[in-house]
């Protein structure tokens, strides 16, 4: 007798019977869900991949963004969601149901979250120098530039022949448009 069920392995794999002349009791098998590997790249290192396969778990991508973890066969969908402060990911998550093979190449694209710092000096062609770069105001005196999530720095306007009431503005841990 050989038991079979999709996604499971049995111990023992089978039991032989020859010339049965009486009841054969306690002929038990132990079913074990097969385990498969989910692997890929998150696009950046130290990304947490959260999932729940009956208990909440996480895996973390290495410095190059590579990750790998095992999931047991299950009819219940397992949703894997990448996260790292300051980044969004595509796809937002991946769902695995009734896996019957390793799932390789399960990649995500990481995109840094950026915020806009903008304002006006009141003068055209004013140089706006900020930690990490510079820009110029437009013909109406407006400026705009983007910074990454958590940016900290100073913004300083300059225009030959002029001084500004606020010689600079300082920002710490930017997490929204300014």
């Amino acid at each position: 007798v050989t038991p079979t069920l999709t996604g499971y392995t049995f111990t023992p794999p089978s039991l032989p019977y020859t010339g049965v002349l009486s009841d054969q009791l306690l002929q038990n098998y132990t079913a074990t869900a097969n385990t498969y590997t989910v692997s890929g790249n998150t696009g950046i290192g130290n990304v947490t991949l959260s999932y729940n396969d009956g208990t909440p778990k996480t895996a973390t991508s290495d410095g190059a963004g590579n990750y790998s973890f095992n999931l047991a066969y299950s009819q219940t969908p397992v949703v894997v969601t990448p996260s790292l402060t300051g980044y969004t990911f595509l796809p937002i998550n991946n769902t695995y149901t009734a896996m019957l093979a390793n799932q390789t190449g399960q990649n995500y694209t990481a995109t840094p979250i950026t915020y806009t710092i903008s304002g006006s000096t009141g003068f055209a062609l004013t140089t706006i120098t900020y930690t990490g770069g510079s820009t110029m105001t437009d013909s109406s005196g407006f400026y705009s530039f983007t910074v990454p999530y958590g940016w900290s720095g100073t913004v300083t306007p300059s225009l030959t022949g002029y001084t500004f009431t606020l010689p600079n503005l300082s920002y710490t841990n930017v997490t929204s448009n300014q």
Side-chain angles (χ1 to χ4, degrees), residues 83-96:
S83 63
L84 179 63
T85 301
Y87 291 85
T88 60
F89 292 89
L90 286 178
I92 295 170
N93 58 47
N94 279 322
T95 302
Y96 303 94

Side-chain angles (χ1 to χ4, degrees), residues 42-58:
T42 57
I44 190 167
N46 299 314
V47 172
T48 299
L49 297 121
S50 302
Y51 59 100
N52 188 329
D53 63 355
T55 58
K57 294 182 181 169
T58 61

Side-chain angles (χ1 to χ4, degrees), residues 31-113:
T32 304
N34 295 334
T35 300
Y36 301 100
T37 300
V38 176
S39 63
N41 188 283
T42 57
I44 190 167
N46 299 314
V47 172
T48 299
L49 297 121
S50 302
Y51 59 100
N52 188 329
D53 63 355
T55 58
K57 294 182 181 169
T58 61
T60 304
S61 66
D62 67 16
N66 298 310
Y67 73 90
S68 178
F69 60 88
N70 294 324
L71 285 178
Y73 175 86
S74 172
Q75 290 292 335
T76 304
V78 176
V79 178
V80 178
T81 304
S83 63
L84 179 63
T85 301
Y87 291 85
T88 60
F89 292 89
L90 286 178
I92 295 170
N93 58 47
N94 279 322
T95 302
Y96 303 94
T97 304
M99 288 182 12
L100 293 173
N102 292 334
Q103 301 296 305
T104 59
Q106 302 297 295
N107 299 328
Y108 297 90
T109 300
T111 302
I113 296 171

Side-chain angles (χ1 to χ4, degrees), residues 19-34:
V20 175
L21 298 174
S22 64
D23 292 341
Q24 302 295 306
L25 304 176
L26 302 174
Q27 302 296 295
N28 299 327
Y29 298 89
T30 301
T32 304
N34 295 334

